[in-house]
Amino acid sequence: MCAIEHYNIRVYGVVQGVGFRPFIYRMALAHMLNGWARNTSGYVEIDVEGADNNVEAFLNAIQYRKPHAAYIEKIESQKKEQITGHSAFEIKGSKHEQGEYQLISPDIAICPECTAEIFDSSNRRYRYPFTNCTNCGPRFTIIKDIPYDRPLTTMSCFTMCADCQTEYDNPANRRFHAQPNACSVCGPQLELVYSSGQTLICDSPLDEASRLLRDGKIVAIKGLGGFLLACDAANDAAVNELRRRKQRPSKPFAVMFPDVATARRYCHITAEEEKLLLSKQSPIVLLKLLSQADLSPSIARSLKYLGALLPYTPLHLLLMRGAGIPLVMTSGNLSEEPIARDNSEAVERLGNIADYFLRHNRDIHMCYDDSVAMLVNDEPCLVRRARGYAPYPVRLPFMAKKSVLACGADMKGSFCLTRDAHAFVSQHIGDMENVETLSNFEGTVEAYKQLFRIEPQIIACDAHPNYLSARYAQKLTQKDTSLNLLYVQHHHAHVASCMAENGITQPVIGVALDGTGYGTDGNIWGGEFLLADYKKCDRLAHLEYVPLPGGDAATRRPLRVACAYVYALLGEATLIESGLSKRIPSVELSLLCRQIERRVNSPLTSSCGRLFDAVSALIGINDSINYEAQAAIELEMAATDAPVTAKRYSLEFAEQNGMRIIRLKELFNAILKDVQSHVGQAEIACCFHVSLADAIAAMCQELSRQSGVKTVALCGGVFQNRLLLQLVTRELRRRELCAIWHKQVPSNDGGIALGQAAIAAFSSM
Ligand code: ZN
Ligand code: ZN
Ligand code: FE
């Protein structure tokens, strides 16, 4: 008989609301341990007594057999002198301490057990659209405050029936303390209403909604984090009508497929992509489109990729089974407004877009869009971070003394709050261009502060004088003068964000390529090579400055950008001779030239985004665009299928006052020649990508020789171009440099708050 030992164990991470205590209960029984487990504000505490080797096996089981939805940050175990002599294992009531905080689980896609139940006609949850358990279901979107207990969620108004209560109370049950536990007897119910809000009387709202969708109607569906708008993805008229009503002329729509097998008929799906589609986060995954065969051509015009997702709630599963067709699923909003959340608000805001609403009476506490991800070099990268990921924190590679609120940028708005080494990056909130988004931003900041018990001492924001996010930061520090305000240069923040999520603390060569960011010299930066760490940032090189008539407003007209580049780099005569002059009214063209010449509203830019716009227009892909980065995306698409070319356009390096410049003149010269000799779009687009990637890597190599730094951080929205990212990482590897890039947060401005926060938090150490 072995001696009995006593251990006290603390498990940190996402360990509450994910079936952790019933798991501990089962493991304790399996390993013949007595004692107890309880939730505290900051961790799960376990007290066990038993044989030493059993405790060891128990600790291993916690680490390696943890529930599907749990995430363990660390386990602390301490051997105790005294033996208490527990006679059984029990789960004790929660213990809560003032100011303590815990990590909160994101919403989790429906698990296989719940899926089986809703399709089993003998199960009491057969076809119940709000089925969930400790392994799956809503979390973050229904939590109003911690501790995570039912009274503090939007489920508080539903009283569990006897059957549900029994499951909830039984530590051996999958639904033990599953806070959103419900069934058709006691839980939320569906209803189908007309666009006026009036109820449509029918036997089954689900069946009726499926029928209406098959009939070509637009139905707004209340999901986890807000309403989604759905229509038949094969019905061109329906898709176009949705575009017209939503005022979204061409930005691609995501499509929900009933299952992977159906998705495979339309898209190429690698093993890694399949894993991501079926993951508990269940994001929209950008997949290579095989054939648009029966899909409406209006879903993703001229794109080679499709945003695809699978049903992630029982409601979506049942609806997709009923409809049996791929459905467009897009955020329930008008253009760039926030996603609609409440039943009455939805009818008000979406009444002119949707024909019907499929809604329910479980309130949504937090807005939450679908996340968007893609695979690069076989690893998932987030393009939009929301459902399934937020509010799970990014771990900073250092412990900060002070808490920070970083307000992000105005495009792809999101913020970041820090506490200790946790950086809570908010879900995607949207472009800060309307009152609704700004107020959603402010409300979400307050909610995070409350949930994670954070009172920021430092406020960080972008250095751009006109950003609404920066004005918000200023307002906060004016209201409370004890707060420090820190302005962070846009591209320094991009680089710091990439460093932080990759756990880097040493200086890096940061390659920050994006559309626009306010530079320290007052120019519009966006093609930057920086030597940076969290403390400082030196600009070592950049893309050549070119005047941009109209400033940031020019981004809607790539053709004008192309004209400006050709005029500035090659002169008026070349511009007139080039095909460009035939595509733009001569009055407009000469006005544009005079504007550049006299420097009237023509700020200088080193933007890589504008370089893509200019090349795209120059070779005839886009004259004007309808959504951000459209020209660059379509240029990438054109290059994607081109045959590999050995040809290179030359991008020369020059030096001015110690600053290295990548010159663009020869590049434009060569592309113009190719256009004139009718070289195909795909070939030019491909050669441009390869040449640019070579130039970036060669510049990094020079800067590495000069600085001794071997790590290169690739960041900024341009690196959402996966062809470019793949080419650059390959070229860097060939030169024995180590490339890091974004995976956890978007590489575009949606990830910038993390960088601002890391810089500000580091300054407090
Ligand atoms: Zn489940
Ligand atoms: Zn029930
Ligand atoms: Fe940016």
Side-chain angles (χ1 to χ4, degrees), residues 161 164 183 186:
C161 67
C164 286
C183 73
C186 64

Side-chain angles (χ1 to χ4, degrees), residues 124-125 128 150 159-165 167 181-187:
R124 71 185 194 92
R125 286 196 175 80
Y128 181 56
R150 191 159 169 129
T159 308
M160 274 183 273
C161 67
D163 286 340
C164 286
Q165 188 71 49
E167 294 167 336
N181 189 24
C183 73
S184 57
V185 174
C186 64

Side-chain angles (χ1 to χ4, degrees), residues 111 114 132-133 135-136 174:
C111 74
C114 288
N132 65 81
C133 72
N135 296 322
C136 74
R174 200 172 93 243

Side-chain angles (χ1 to χ4, degrees), residues 495-693:
V495 177
S497 174
C498 188
M499 289 173 65
E501 77 150 88
N502 283 284
I504 304 279
T505 50
Q506 297 301 310
V508 299
I509 295 168
V511 184
L513 305 183
D514 65 0
T516 176
Y518 188 75
T520 53
D521 58 2
N523 294 327
I524 302 175
W525 292 10
E528 311 308 314
F529 294 76
L530 310 167
L531 181 63
D533 57 18
Y534 300 113
K535 256 201 299 235
K536 59 184 198 340
C537 175
D538 287 322
R539 191 188 201 199
L540 301 183
H542 61 87
L543 289 179
E544 178 172 5
Y545 275 139
V546 180
L548 185 63
D552 281 340
T555 55
R556 290 195 168 272
R557 294 281 309 280
L559 182 59
R560 282 178 64 96
V561 180
C563 291
Y565 272 59
V566 171
Y567 177 81
L569 297 166
L570 302 170
E572 192 162 3
T574 313
L575 177 60
I576 302 296
E577 281 163 31
S578 77
L580 287 172
S581 57
K582 295 185 197 77
R583 286 154 57 193
I584 190 166
S586 57
V587 183
E588 190 184 347
L589 190 65
S590 75
L591 215 72
L592 185 95
C593 296
R594 300 294 82 76
Q595 208 180 338
I596 297 172
E597 212 171 284
R598 296 187 195 133
R599 282 290 155 80
V600 182
N601 185 23
S602 296
L604 292 176
T605 187
S606 53
S607 164
C608 191
R610 295 300 80 75
L611 173 62
F612 271 82
D613 288 350
V615 172
S616 178
L618 192 58
I619 68 175
I621 294 179
N622 302 83
D623 283 3
S624 60
I625 58 166
N626 288 307
Y627 62 92
E628 197 228 341
Q630 184 181 353
I633 291 169
E634 292 182 6
L635 185 63
E636 178 193 354
M637 293 308 136
T640 298
D641 287 335
V644 185
T645 164
K647 188 167 93 177
R648 295 287 182 275
Y649 297 131
S650 108
L651 287 123
E652 294 163 346
F653 295 175
E655 211 175 310
Q656 278 171 6
N657 312 323
M659 180 75 72
R660 286 180 162 81
I661 312 286
I662 299 183
R663 289 243 179 265
L664 303 174
K665 184 175 172 176
E666 284 314 308
L667 171 75
F668 276 79
N669 221 345
I671 295 179
L672 264 183
K673 282 213 180 84
D674 273 357
V675 171
Q676 272 147 10
S677 43
H678 306 289
V679 177
Q681 271 181 0
E683 198 183 326
I684 301 178
C686 178
C687 186
F688 167 69
H689 276 80
V690 178
S691 309
L692 182 63

Side-chain angles (χ1 to χ4, degrees), residues 39-169:
N39 279 343
T40 75
S41 307
Y43 48 89
V44 169
E45 186 180 7
I46 307 160
D47 206 70
V48 286
E49 290 177 355
D52 235 353
N53 56 342
N54 283 350
V55 176
E56 197 181 310
F58 173 70
L59 283 170
N60 267 324
I62 297 179
Q63 185 80 263
Y64 299 107
R65 294 172 61 190
K66 64 178 170 58
H68 176 70
Y71 179 86
I72 295 176
E73 275 201 330
K74 62 173 175 186
I75 302 176
E76 289 173 358
S77 84
Q78 205 186 7
K79 198 166 180 168
K80 295 281 188 190
E81 291 294 315
Q82 295 261 297
I83 303 296
T84 326
H86 299 294
S87 58
F89 194 88
E90 60 166 343
I91 290 177
K92 296 215 295 191
S94 305
K95 185 179 112 189
H96 290 284
E97 290 143 69
Q98 192 86 60
E100 276 287 353
Y101 70 114
Q102 66 190 48
L103 304 186
I104 290 172
S105 169
D107 290 19
I108 309 160
I110 184 170
C111 74
E113 286 95 336
C114 288
T115 304
E117 286 178 0
I118 62 168
F119 291 117
D120 171 4
S121 58
S122 68
N123 191 284
R124 71 185 194 92
R125 286 196 175 80
Y126 179 57
R127 286 179 57 84
Y128 181 56
F130 304 97
T131 300
N132 65 81
C133 72
T134 46
N135 296 322
C136 74
R139 294 289 185 279
F140 176 56
T141 54
I142 60 165
I143 297 177
K144 294 178 177 167
D145 202 357
I146 56 163
Y148 173 50
D149 277 327
R150 191 159 169 129
L152 292 177
T153 70
T154 61
M155 284 298 290
S156 61
C157 54
F158 302 97
T159 308
M160 274 183 273
C161 67
D163 286 340
C164 286
Q165 188 71 49
T166 309
E167 294 167 336
Y168 184 92
D169 291 333

Side-chain angles (χ1 to χ4, degrees), residues 490-491 494 514 516 749 752:
H490 190 89
H491 302 92
H494 269 307
D514 65 0
T516 176
D749 285 3
I752 217 164

